[in-house]
Amino acid sequence: MNREEIMKILPHRDNMLLLDEVENREGTAIGHYTVRGDEFFLRGHFPGHPIVPGVILCEILAQSACVLAQDAMREGTISVYTGLNNVKFRSPVRPGDTVETNCRIKRIKYPFYFAEGTVTVDGRLCVSAEFSFAVQGE
């Protein structure tokens, strides 16, 4: 899925849509985002030494997972984080890096989805996490 197709699932727009592409490969969401360097979150984090904030990396991970819940993601619904567990930040992500997310849904108790995933850059582990989100609306 490209950005236009992602926007049919996610309500995120403008500078908060943090995926360039994502696909569902047999129950695993694989997403990509290239950090351009002009993103709002890099301006103050840190001047002269920009590093993508961990919370943004977690957001990219969650946005990727939503492709796995796309059947529940209808117009008028949104998905919201309900938990983050066992989050580990292993390596920084910088401008020019292309992050790859890899996540899967472990369990569903609608409207709650329980997932796990990783963020890597060129095979280097940057983030691992367990997380949950809920589909709200309609």
Side-chain angles (χ1 to χ4, degrees), residues 8 27 29 33-34 36 48 60 86 89 107 121 124-125 132:
K8 292 177 183 174
Y33 179 73
T34 299
R36 299 179 314 274
I60 294 169
N86 300 316
F89 300 104
R107 183 169 61 96
V121 172
R124 171 178 44 95
L125 181 62
S132 58

Side-chain angles (χ1 to χ4, degrees), residues 25-134:
R25 291 189 201 156
E26 300 175 15
T28 300
I30 309 294
H32 295 97
Y33 179 73
T34 299
V35 182
R36 299 179 314 274
D38 63 350
E39 289 89 350
F40 73 94
F41 48 81
L42 291 174
R43 284 189 288 243
H45 197 267
F46 300 97
H49 189 67
I51 297 172
V52 177
V55 68
I56 296 293
L57 296 172
C58 290
E59 178 64 22
I60 294 169
L61 193 60
Q63 287 184 21
S64 308
C66 287
V67 72
L68 300 173
Q70 70 183 357
D71 292 342
M73 299 292 299
R74 295 179 184 82
E75 190 170 329
T77 62
I78 60 171
S79 61
V80 295
Y81 258 126
T82 55
L84 278 164
N85 297 305
N86 300 316
V87 179
K88 304 283 189 215
F89 300 104
R90 306 287 185 179
S91 185
V93 175
R94 303 181 194 290
D97 287 345
T98 297
V99 300
E100 179 174 285
T101 62
N102 186 311
C103 51
R104 68 179 188 86
I105 304 294
K106 293 174 20 178
R107 183 169 61 96
I108 301 170
K109 186 172 182 182
Y110 192 82
F112 299 98
Y113 290 75
F114 301 87
E116 64 184 4
T118 60
V119 175
T120 60
V121 172
D122 294 328
R124 171 178 44 95
L125 181 62
C126 299
V127 179
S128 61
E130 296 173 357
F131 58 98
S132 58
F133 58 95

